[in-house]
Amino acid sequence: AQTVTQSQPEMSVQEAETVTLSCTYDTSENNYYLFWYKQPPSRQMILVIRQEAYKQQNATENRFSVNFQKAAKSFSLKISDSQLGDTAMYFCAFMMGGATNKLIFGTGTLLAVQP
Amino acid sequence: KAGVTQTPRYLIKTRGQQVTLSCSPISGHRSVSWYQQTPGQGLQFLFEYFSETQRNKGNFPGRFSGRQFSNSRSEMNVSTLELGDSALYLCASSPGTPGTEQYFGPGTRLTVT
């Protein structure tokens, strides 16, 4: 069974600084997808970034980038130039390839951006 | 495009009752997934429906069931409610192709007393 582990329950960063959130996963599959989702307080979950396992290039979306280490089964999220609006719970999620959209989530990291 | 909508947003029920939650996906999306979010267990997958068929199911008791209609709208039902069913129930829609982004609704907050 696949598992996703986020070892940092809470993190804090100063506005404009850079922060990295950790995520490791366990799978014996080769075809899968990885995601980072953001859930702001009392607001909807939204996708931050998506990575296809067969692509070696790390995904980037504006200030958000990932460090995808397939052999180490590691998928960390780097947020550059942190903004107050980045304050949220961040979830790492795994999806197997094939005919399913089932997401397996980690326990989340609560990120607080301090002014 | 309108986003994913879930109704009702808040619900209070008594143990033993049953409840039905509704989810309307983004127009054109054929896949709807349901998740339960609790402080203790985190986010757990309940089931996924694609073109009116259950495509995948999580490890929840049979009290949890769902269905999808021809317009892709989905409902989930929980019978014989228990206190532990208190949670935020999230619905997510996607076009259906595996690996694509899931768009989440605002959730239904269910409280069982």
Side-chain angles (χ1 to χ4, degrees):
Chain A
Q2 290 78 20
T3 58
V4 178
T5 301
Q6 293 180 251
S7 58
Q8 305 151 314
E10 295 184 25
M11 292 193 72
S12 181
V13 64
Q14 293 294 125
E15 205 173 359
E17 297 293 309
T18 295
V19 65
T20 299
L21 309 185
S22 301
C23 173
T24 58
Y25 59 95
D26 189 24
T27 184
S28 57
E29 303 293 327
N30 264 320
N31 179 23
Y32 54 88
Y33 305 87
L34 295 164
F35 304 83
W36 279 98
Y37 278 89
K38 166 185 175 181
Q39 189 176 38
S42 302
R43 292 180 61 189
Q44 283 170 238
M45 184 112 67
I46 57 173
L47 179 69
V48 175
I49 202 163
R50 170 181 173 272
Q51 176 80 43
E52 298 169 11
Y54 61 86
K55 287 188 176 179
Q56 291 189 338
Q57 187 173 6
N58 289 323
T60 299
E61 286 289 341
N62 301 312
R63 298 182 294 108
F64 299 87
S65 61
V66 297
N67 183 3
F68 174 46
Q69 300 289 327
K70 191 172 183 178
K73 297 180 183 174
S74 170
F75 184 60
S76 60
L77 175 69
K78 186 172 84 170
I79 305 174
S80 304
D81 185 26
S82 296
Q83 300 176 0
L84 296 178
D86 294 334
T87 292
M89 182 72 88
Y90 286 81
F91 292 98
C92 178
F94 172 98
M95 180 189 290
M96 267 183 57
T100 178
N101 279 318
K102 174 183 176 180
L103 285 166
I104 299 169
F105 286 93
T107 51
T109 295
L110 180 59
L111 176 67
V113 180
Q114 308 291 343
Chain B
K1 274 188 180 178
V4 179
T5 57
Q6 292 187 245
T7 56
R9 292 292 310 279
Y10 302 91
L11 207 48
I12 300 176
K13 289 286 188 179
T14 304
R15 268 181 305 176
Q17 289 185 315
Q18 75 164 19
V19 67
T20 298
L21 312 182
S22 181
C23 171
S24 292
I26 291 171
S27 177
H29 284 191
R30 298 165 64 191
S31 167
V32 173
S33 298
W34 289 89
Y35 295 85
Q36 182 196 65
Q37 185 174 23
T38 60
Q41 300 298 316
L43 280 153
Q44 293 187 286
F45 173 80
L46 280 154
F47 28 64
E48 179 201 1
Y49 286 87
F50 177 77
S51 293
E52 302 179 65
T53 301
Q54 189 179 84
R55 187 155 75 168
N56 207 337
K57 188 178 189 304
N59 294 324
F60 278 82
R63 300 185 297 108
F64 292 81
S65 63
R67 60 178 175 169
Q68 187 179 33
F69 302 95
S70 58
N71 62 357
S72 293
R73 189 177 70 85
S74 177
E75 289 181 346
M76 67 162 282
N77 183 274
V78 188
S79 62
T80 320
L81 283 166
E82 301 177 358
L83 295 178
D85 297 333
S86 294
L88 180 66
Y89 289 88
L90 295 170
C91 162
S93 83
S94 76
T97 305
T100 53
E101 177 180 356
Q102 305 261 311
Y103 295 81
F104 283 82
T108 294
R109 173 74 63 185
L110 172 65
T111 302
V112 182
T113 62

